[in-house]
Amino acid sequence: MYSVRFKPTNFAVQCFKNCRTYYTVKRKVVKDENYVARQIYQKIKVKGPMTVADYMREVLTNPMAGYYMHKDMFGETGDFITSPEVTQMFGEMVAVWLLNEWQKMGSPKPLQIVELGPGRGTLSYDIVKVFSHFKALHKASLQLVEISPVLSELQARRLCDKHTIVNEKMVVYRKGSSPHDIPVQWFRQLSDVPNAFTLLIAHEFFDALPIHKFHKTYSGYKEVLIDIDPAAEKNPENTEPKFRYVLSRNETPMLKSLLKPNETRDHFEASPDCMLIYKQICERLKATGGLALICDYGHYGTGTDTFRAFKKHKQVDPLVMPGTADLTADVDFKTIREVANKVEGIITMGPANQRDFLLKTGLEYRFKALKEQVKDKKHLENLTECYKILTDKDKMGERFKFCALFPETMRKILDKCPVVGFNQFIP
Ligand SMILES: C[S@@+](CC[C@H](N)C(=O)[O-])C[C@H]1O[C@@H](n2cnc3c(N)ncnc32)[C@H](O)[C@@H]1O
């Protein structure tokens, strides 16, 4: 059977509505919509203009009122929708891909599935379901890296029969077990997840991490900073802080370390936070084996000004009412390859477009099989719409990209049995 996600009447939205009625948050959460803006205002007053990275960190993950820390923002009633939330077909294809590549490695056990930033837990749910169908969960565990207490609670409800908060201060802050009897654990950062053979998945995780922004001027590159808007300060009618972009006068430490000698773009963005995690992933794969699949919207070293905000499915100004809208920036897939090359001993595949990856993994066959099971016209329309959203070039098909990382020790096997979903050439 299947459930089509995306339409207001669908299963996921109904579940979500039910969830909200019995859902409790233990920590104190600030309801004031201007709390984050005032925090940022105070910081700038004391320390001067802040980097876009510091602004993003404060807006998204401030423990009291950060965007990710206090609500469920997914779906039609939220601010945005992601592929796993559109339809189960997405998670099923990712699961089939993981299963296939894992089997090529000889199905090593124990098997640790790691998801970074699992949102509502939907992708992990679909992956575990497919793995259980293929009886591949013996000696398996699910490790989730999630910063948000509210989302970790939603993930636990989605994924576990039983779950408990261990201790908010511990490395593993929540534990549970899935209906398939596999242990599920929650961590705040990847470096805390046990070093073991890993199948790692990150879907729309890296686009949520802080970026630095740089702009080319007549006197060289400058870092873009965020300052208090002086015009708004002088206006007595303004009761809440307003912000504006300014350029750093001098070379900032981040400009010094992130500007490449051959850079030509008028504007570029870079994320040391992402780079650190790419490095940790590569080192983990080298040390203990496994693979990583990174899916996000992004570019290959060509993106310019991609920093933006989303609220109620509309693009809004990232500097207005911080904490009430999602902030995001495109992922630079070229940086993933560069970091992997520096670590050495890592094969990088991609980026491949979502459409190409899903079709090569067999989405069309799954779509046809589901169509045959569907009895009523409405469901058929929903299913077809979901398929189009995932694959159409003007929807999620082209902007979203997939990149896979494998340890070099897999080269001989991958030469014989190429990685599904990507061009055959292994660099
Ligand atoms: C855009 S959502 C994507 C959710 C999910 N992967 C999906 O595609 O539906 C980003 C996720 O990453 C989590 N997140 C954001 N910043 C994080 C950080 N610094 N550390 C851990 N998780 C983070 C958010 O709480 C959320 O679960």
Side-chain angles (χ1 to χ4, degrees), residues 343-404:
V343 170
E344 291 182 355
I346 293 291
I347 298 169
T348 314
M349 303 295 299
N353 289 343
Q354 172 157 308
R355 174 187 171 80
D356 295 344
F357 177 89
L358 292 177
L359 292 180
K360 283 178 185 165
T361 310
L363 179 68
E364 229 176 324
Y365 300 102
R366 181 64 180 140
F367 175 50
K368 275 185 192 148
L370 288 175
K371 273 204 303 195
E372 278 161 23
Q373 292 177 27
V374 173
K375 299 277 180 289
D376 68 287
K377 198 168 157 244
K378 185 83 195 136
H379 269 125
L380 189 61
E381 277 170 17
N382 272 357
L383 185 67
T384 309
E385 179 62 14
C386 291
Y387 176 83
K388 283 185 168 176
I389 290 169
L390 291 189
T391 56
D392 273 9
K393 289 185 177 165
D394 57 350
K395 295 193 171 113
M396 288 171 156
E398 214 150 69
R399 286 203 65 204
F400 281 80
K401 303 201 165 38
F402 284 61
C403 165

Side-chain angles (χ1 to χ4, degrees), residues 55-88:
Y55 179 82
M56 275 182 92
R57 201 170 289 115
E58 192 68 37
V59 170
L60 297 180
T61 57
N62 176 296
M64 301 296 280
Y67 176 77
Y68 279 117
M69 308 305 267
H70 60 92
K71 64 170 184 172
D72 179 349
M73 62 292 295
F74 298 89
E76 297 214 0
T77 52
D79 295 319
F80 56 86
I81 183 114
T82 61
S83 293
E85 299 294 334
V86 170
T87 160
Q88 71 183 63

Side-chain angles (χ1 to χ4, degrees), residues 291-307:
L291 61 83
L293 186 65
I294 297 171
C295 330
D296 230 306
Y297 42 77
H299 57 86
Y300 196 74
T302 53
T304 55
D305 181 6
T306 73
F307 178 52

Side-chain angles (χ1 to χ4, degrees), residues 68 74 80 82 84 115 117-119 145-148 151 188 203-205 208-209:
Y68 279 117
F74 298 89
F80 56 86
T82 61
E115 185 178 358
V145 176
E146 176 57 71
I147 201 168
S148 163
L151 291 179
R188 281 183 201 85
H203 184 268
E204 286 213 45
F205 168 72
L209 297 193

